[in-house]
Amino acid sequence: MRNYFYITVLSFAVLLTSCGKTDENMGIANTENSSNNINRKVDSLLGIMTIEEKVGQMNQYNGFWNVTGPTPSEGGAAYKYDHLKKGYVGSMLNVRGVEEVRAVQKIAVEETRLGIPLIIGFDVIHGYKTLSPIPLAESASWDLEAIKKSAAMAAKESAAAGINWTFAPMVDVSRDARWGRVMEGAGEDPYLGAKIAVARVNGFQGEDLASPHTVAACAKHFAGYGFAESGRDYNTVDVGTSTLNNIIFPPFKAAAEAGVKTFMNAFNELNGVPATGNAYLQRNVLKDQWNYDGFVVSDWGSLNEMIAHGYAANKKEVAELAVKAGSDMDMESYAYVEELANLVKEGKVDEALINDAVKRILKVKYELGLFDDPYKYCDENREKEVTGSQEINEAVLDMAKKSIVLLKNEGHLLPLKKEGQKIALIGALANDKTSPLGSWRIAAEDSTAVSVLEGLQSYKGNTISFAKGADVVTGKTEFAIELNVNTTDKSGFNEAIATARKADVVVMVLGEHGFQTGEGRSRTELGLPGVQQDLLEAVYKVNKNIVLVLNNGRPLTINWADAHVPAIVEAWQLGTQSGHAIAQVLYGDYNPSGKLPMTFPKSVGQVPIYYNFKNTGRPVLPSAGEVFWSHYTDQSNDPLYPFGYGLSYTSFDYSNLQVTVVSEKEVEVSVDLKNTGKVTGKEVVQLYVRDLFASVTRPVKELKGFELVELAADESKTIHFVLKVNELGFYDNAGKFIVEPGDFNVFVGGSSEAELHASFELK
Ligand code: BGC
C-alpha cells in the first residue's frame, strides 16, 4: 500500500519551505508543538486543502462497520467508507479498541490524499470499561482531587483503547430531578459545578495533552439543556439572561478557562433558537466574549433536528445556519459533508468560516500529537496492561466510597457490627452486577460490577441471607430501549418477609436500575419505581431495623422511608467497585463524608426545587391560618434533604464565625470546626453568601466556598476562607458583570441550611 502519510509529510515540508518558513522543527513529524508552531502548521496545511477536504474535517461519523471484517460495498456503511477514503471525515465516534481504531485511522492516514489523522471520540462519561460512580455521585464527594483522579483514570483506560477525545464532562446545571440526565452532571449549583468541571477537564486532559494517557475533553451541552421544561429530555428551554449568565454559564466558562479543548452544543432550543444554530451562544458568548479557541461539535444529529424545531427548512439551510452560528463539527447529520462545499461555491457561506472551523479542529489534532504519530493511541500491549488494571480499580473504589451520602442514622444503627449478626439482604438491586454500572457505560461488559451481596460477603463475621423480594425492571436492560418496570409481580415478597423476620438487621437495596436515568429517561414520579415501596413497607412490618441503601441516578422522593426507616444510605450507581464501597461504608471501614449536590424534593410538585432560590415578596407565613403567601396548600416548601446535606458516623460542631473586610477587594471568613464524636471523620465545610439588596435580586444563599476537612475525634481546626470581591458580584440583565456595594450575610455550616451567620458591608 502506498504510504500517503509519508508523501503528505514531504509535500507539506516543501510547502513550508516555499512559504519562507524554514524552521527545521516544522515538518509534520516533529514533536515541537508550541502554539505558534501549531498555528503555522495548521495554516500551511489549510493552504493545500480543497474545499471538500476542509469540509471533511468538519464531518464526524459514527462507527459504521466491523472494521476488521470485509469492507462494506453497499448502503450507508459503504457511503461512509467512501467518504473516509476520500478524506471527507475528520472524526469518528464509537469506534473503540486498538484494533478497530487502528483500522480506521489507517484509512485516513494512508489512503487519503493528505493523510490527516482522525480524532476518535467516545462517551467516556464515568470511566471506559472500569467504571467509576456516575458523575452526580462523584459530585457528592465534593472532593476535587478524587474527581480529577477519576477522570484521569478514565482517560488512561480509554486512551489505551485508541480513544483520544471524550464527550465529557457534562456541565449542565439542573434543578429538575425529573430530567434523566441529572445523573451525568454535577447537580444544581453553578459554583460547585464550575469547580467540578475544572477538576474533570484537568483530569481528562492532564498536564500534557500529547501524552498517550490523556484525552481531549468536551464541555457539554452548550447551553441550557439542563433547564428542559418540565424535566422532559430535549424539551424547550426558555430562560432569562440572569439565569443564563449566573446559573447556566459558570461551569462552561470555567471549563473554557481551564483549557477544555472542545465544546458540544445541545439538542434544545434556547429562547426560540436551537443551540446548534445559536450564534449568540457559540459566537458571541463562547468564541468572542470568552475568547475560546477550541472547536464546537454538534450533538448527535442536532443539525438536522433544527428542521423539526421549525428553524431550518432543509439540510442545506441547516448547514448554512449551523456553520454561521459557529458549530464547527457535524456529528451524524451529514449536513456539512453534503451541503457546505456547495454553499461556499454559491457564495452563501464565506470560506473564512470554514477555514476558522477547520483550523480549530486541526489545532486540537496537532495538540494531541496525532500528526506526530497517528497510531500513538494504538498500542495493544498498553491496552492489555491498562484495561481493568489494579491502579484503575483502586481509584474507582476510592471514588465510590467518597461518593456515598449518609442521609439518616437513627440510634446509630450504622455502622453494622462485624460479627455475630444475622443480616437479611433484600432487593433485586442487591444482587445486581450490571445496574451499579449506571447509565453511559457503552464499553463496559454487563455483570462486571461488584454487587452489594458480594461486597457484604467479603466480610466473614456475619450470616447473610439474600432474598430478592421483587424485580425492579424486567426483560432487556439496554441503553437504547425503554425498560419494563415491574409494577405487578410481588411473588417474591413472602420469601423476603420471612428472611427479614429472622434477621437482626435488614439491609434493603432499592431504587432505580442503572438505565432508569440517563438520556431519554425522564420521569414524572420520583418515588421508588415499581413495587419497591410496597416491599419496603411489607418488610418494615416484620422488622424495623432496616438500613435502606439507595441506588439511583437522581434525587428521589422517599418521604415514607425518611419518616420510618432508621438508616438511609445514598449509594447512587457507584460503578465497578460498587459493592465493596457500600460494604466498607456499612461496616464503618470508611466513614461516609458525601454531601448532596442536588436537593431532594418531598414531592414532584415542588420541582424545580433548589437551595439558591429567590425570596419572593411573600416568603413567610404572616400569621397562623393565613393563605396569601408563597406556598403550597398540600406540601411544605422545604425539601426532604437540602443541597449540601450529608451525615457522618461522627458529629461536627461549628462555632466562632468571624468575618473581616480586609480591603475593598477581600473579605476573610473563619470558623472553628470540632469533631465532637468518637471517630475520625471528614466534613465539607460550606460557605454561603447572601447579597441582601441588589439592582437585580439575588438568591437567599449562594455557595461561595467549601473545604473538605478531616478531623480526629475531639480535634478542632479553624477553617479560613477568602472571598474575593469578584465572587460577590453577578451578571445584570444586560449580561454585564457588576459588583455592587452594600450589605451581605455570610453563612457557614455543613449544608445549605447552615445557620451560623454573620454580616458585612462592602463599601
Ligand atoms: C448525547 C451526547 C453524546 C452523543 C454522542 C447524544 O445523544 O446527547 O451527550 O455525547 O449522543 O454519543
Side-chain angles (χ1 to χ4, degrees):
M1 182 175 293
R2 284 169 62 201
N3 188 334
Y4 280 88
F5 181 59
Y6 187 61
I7 292 169
T8 305
V9 174
L10 285 181
S11 59
F12 186 38
V14 169
L15 181 88
L16 292 172
T17 316
S18 66
C19 295
K21 296 170 188 165
T22 48
D23 180 344
E24 51 182 36
N25 286 331
M26 282 179 54
I28 286 182
N30 81 70
T31 49
E32 176 77 37
N33 275 337
S34 74
S35 77
N36 271 348
N37 260 349
I38 286 179
N39 287 338
R40 275 182 288 164
K41 290 173 186 177
V42 165
D43 285 341
S44 301
L45 181 51
L46 198 69
I48 58 170
M49 291 171 80
T50 64
I51 184 67
E52 286 77 15
E53 285 164 342
K54 290 179 186 175
V55 167
Q57 288 302 305
M58 300 167 72
N59 180 35
Q60 185 187 51
Y61 281 148
N62 191 40
F64 50 89
W65 92 102
N66 175 5
V67 256
T68 47
T71 44
S73 55
E74 52 190 28
Y79 180 80
K80 287 181 176 182
Y81 179 63
D82 178 55
H83 278 187
L84 185 58
K85 284 195 299 184
K86 286 186 175 139
Y88 296 173
V89 183
S91 172
M92 291 187 60
L93 76 153
N94 293 333
V95 178
R96 61 178 194 268
V98 164
E99 197 185 0
E100 297 233 333
V101 172
R102 185 196 298 282
V104 290
Q105 193 67 292
K106 207 157 178 246
I107 299 170
V109 168
E110 296 181 13
E111 295 189 38
T112 67
R113 187 180 78 94
L114 291 174
I116 300 172
L118 299 164
I119 178 170
I120 306 286
F122 195 75
D123 290 282
V124 185
I125 306 298
H126 55 113
Y128 177 66
K129 268 200 189 306
T130 314
L131 291 188
S132 55
I134 56 168
L136 185 67
E138 286 195 355
S139 306
S141 71
W142 297 53
D143 187 331
L144 301 175
E145 274 310 306
I147 293 172
K148 181 175 161 192
K149 178 145 190 210
S150 168
M153 289 296 119
K156 190 170 179 178
E157 201 180 56
S158 55
I163 288 151
N164 41 51
W165 177 22
T166 175
F167 304 125
M170 186 189 99
V171 304
D172 296 307
V173 168
S174 181
R175 297 164 161 177
D176 197 326
R178 293 171 297 184
W179 189 48
R181 295 194 84 167
V182 297
M183 57 73 53
E184 224 181 305
E188 74 187 37
D189 184 61
Y191 180 89
L192 180 62
K195 297 279 179 205
I196 291 177
V198 172
R200 289 195 167 127
V201 168
N202 289 339
F204 285 128
Q205 297 190 166
E207 300 279 308
D208 176 14
L209 194 64
S211 149
H213 302 304
T214 57
V215 297
C218 180
K220 71 187 189 185
H221 306 85
F222 199 58
Y225 187 39
F227 276 68
E229 274 177 6
S230 56
R232 175 157 55 79
D233 208 0
Y234 319 122
N235 205 2
T236 304
V237 177
D238 202 324
V239 291
T241 48
S242 177
T243 301
L244 203 53
N245 284 292
N246 294 300
I247 306 292
I248 293 172
F249 283 164
F252 285 104
K253 187 158 188 277
E257 284 165 4
V260 70
K261 292 297 163 193
T262 70
F263 263 56
M264 186 185 289
N265 57 36
F267 289 128
N268 58 284
E269 65 161 69
L270 174 72
N271 304 335
V273 181
T276 307
N278 201 309
Y280 163 72
L281 285 174
Q282 297 171 105
R283 290 217 181 271
N284 299 14
V285 175
L286 180 64
K287 292 179 178 172
D288 294 346
Q289 286 174 36
W290 300 352
N291 222 358
Y292 182 66
D293 66 357
F295 71 86
V296 182
V297 63
S298 80
D299 204 342
W300 179 287
S302 68
L303 271 83
N304 283 346
E305 290 187 9
M306 293 201 289
I307 299 172
H309 275 292
Y311 190 68
N314 51 46
K315 212 182 246 189
K316 195 162 183 180
E317 233 176 84
V318 157
E320 181 178 346
L321 287 165
V323 78
K324 287 185 173 165
S327 289
D328 300 310
M329 188 183 274
D330 168 1
M331 182 194 287
E332 273 288 321
S333 277
Y334 304 64
Y336 282 175
V337 74
E338 287 174 7
E339 306 291 350
L340 264 190
N342 283 337
L343 283 163
V344 171
K345 285 173 194 159
E346 288 164 19
K348 290 197 175 129
V349 166
D350 186 346
E351 191 165 351
L353 293 183
I354 312 291
N355 290 344
D356 176 63
V358 177
K359 278 187 198 178
R360 290 168 181 271
I361 294 163
L362 292 177
K363 188 165 151 293
V364 176
K365 292 186 177 183
Y366 272 106
E367 288 169 339
L368 281 163
L370 284 168
F371 282 96
D372 295 327
D373 176 4
Y375 303 111
K376 62 186 293 190
Y377 300 90
C378 299
D379 176 339
E380 278 86 357
N381 289 335
R382 187 168 63 237
E383 186 177 33
K384 266 193 215 108
E385 249 165 57
V386 170
T387 310
S389 70
Q390 192 180 339
E391 181 195 25
I392 298 177
N393 272 290
E394 279 169 10
V396 300
L397 174 58
D398 181 63
M399 189 72 250
K401 289 188 279 193
K402 290 174 171 164
S403 304
I404 292 173
V405 186
L406 180 64
L407 295 175
K408 191 178 172 192
N409 193 18
E410 216 170 66
H412 296 283
L413 183 57
L414 288 173
L416 299 174
K417 295 192 190 74
K418 285 187 177 162
E419 279 175 1
Q421 298 281 294
K422 278 186 276 178
I423 297 180
L425 181 63
I426 292 172
L429 293 173
N431 192 26
D432 197 319
K433 292 172 63 60
T434 296
S435 169
L437 300 173
S439 195
W440 284 118
R441 33 142 299 208
I442 306 168
E445 313 286 336
D446 275 355
S447 282
T448 48
V450 178
S451 70
V452 179
L453 177 60
E454 290 168 328
L456 289 179
Q457 279 169 341
S458 70
Y459 285 78
K460 301 291 176 209
N462 291 330
T463 329
I464 315 281
S465 313
F466 169 70
K468 178 169 82 169
D471 283 319
V472 181
V473 293
T474 57
K476 281 191 175 177
T477 51
E478 279 173 22
F479 174 60
I481 60 168
E482 199 83 43
L483 303 191
N484 284 324
V485 181
N486 168 28
T487 52
T488 49
D489 183 4
K490 297 184 176 181
S491 57
F493 273 33
N494 284 346
E495 188 201 356
I497 292 164
T499 312
R501 205 190 292 275
K502 287 182 272 179
D504 299 308
V505 186
V506 184
V507 175
M508 294 190 74
V509 185
L510 305 179
E512 298 177 307
H513 182 275
F515 281 141
Q516 280 182 295
T517 51
E519 188 175 347
R521 268 68 195 265
S522 297
R523 287 177 60 197
T524 62
E525 298 288 343
L526 295 174
L528 297 170
V531 296
Q532 294 180 96
Q533 180 63 35
D534 295 345
L535 177 65
L536 176 62
E537 293 183 26
V539 169
Y540 182 81
K541 280 196 186 123
V542 298
N543 194 335
K544 299 196 169 21
N545 250 0
I546 296 178
V547 177
L548 170 61
V549 176
L550 290 172
N551 280 187
N552 47 317
R554 55 155 69 82
L556 296 176
T557 51
I558 46 153
N559 304 351
W560 188 92
D562 179 65
H564 296 87
V565 172
I568 307 178
V569 175
E570 174 53 81
W572 318 101
Q573 281 115 13
L574 293 176
T576 305
Q577 292 292 332
S578 178
H580 286 316
I582 292 169
Q584 288 180 29
V585 164
L586 295 185
Y587 278 120
D589 285 341
Y590 185 84
N591 186 356
S593 50
K595 302 276 189 179
L596 296 177
M598 247 188 120
T599 305
F600 274 44
K602 282 185 172 155
S603 59
V604 178
Q606 289 181 320
V607 174
I609 182 168
Y610 46 96
Y611 84 94
N612 47 354
F613 57 87
K614 303 285 189 78
N615 211 26
T616 79
R618 297 182 177 199
V620 287
L621 173 69
S623 57
E626 179 82 67
V627 71
F628 299 118
W629 67 290
S630 181
H631 73 300
Y632 303 100
T633 53
D634 59 352
Q635 180 62 274
S636 88
N637 288 353
D638 300 329
L640 182 61
Y641 304 117
F643 172 83
Y645 168 81
L647 304 172
S648 162
Y649 294 150
T650 190
S651 48
F652 294 97
D653 182 59
Y654 287 80
S655 64
N656 193 25
L657 176 62
Q658 305 280 343
V659 178
T660 321
V661 181
V662 211
S663 70
E664 280 172 7
K665 297 213 153 42
E666 257 178 37
V667 179
E668 276 180 14
V669 178
S670 71
V671 71
D672 293 345
L673 179 73
K674 181 168 187 198
N675 180 343
T676 51
K678 292 195 176 66
V679 289
T680 299
K682 280 191 280 184
E683 168 75 335
V684 181
V685 179
Q686 299 161 44
L687 167 73
Y688 296 87
V689 161
R690 177 174 184 186
D691 179 349
L692 291 182
F693 306 100
S695 57
V696 179
T697 60
R698 307 303 305 138
V700 294
K701 266 178 195 156
E702 288 178 275
L703 183 70
K704 292 293 175 186
F706 61 89
E707 200 177 318
L708 186 58
V709 186
E710 184 169 48
L711 292 180
D714 269 340
E715 197 187 350
S716 302
K717 193 174 171 187
T718 304
I719 315 300
H720 298 273
F721 293 99
V722 176
L723 274 170
K724 303 267 187 222
V725 74
N726 266 359
E727 290 167 334
L728 300 170
F730 59 89
Y731 290 89
D732 67 13
N733 283 342
K736 195 168 152 247
F737 188 78
I738 50 171
V739 184
E740 291 183 343
D743 293 325
F744 289 79
N745 283 348
V746 173
F747 307 82
V748 178
S751 84
S752 59
E753 290 189 345
E755 279 174 2
L756 203 59
H757 65 276
S759 49
F760 68 88
E761 188 187 346
L762 194 69
K763 299 227 162 103

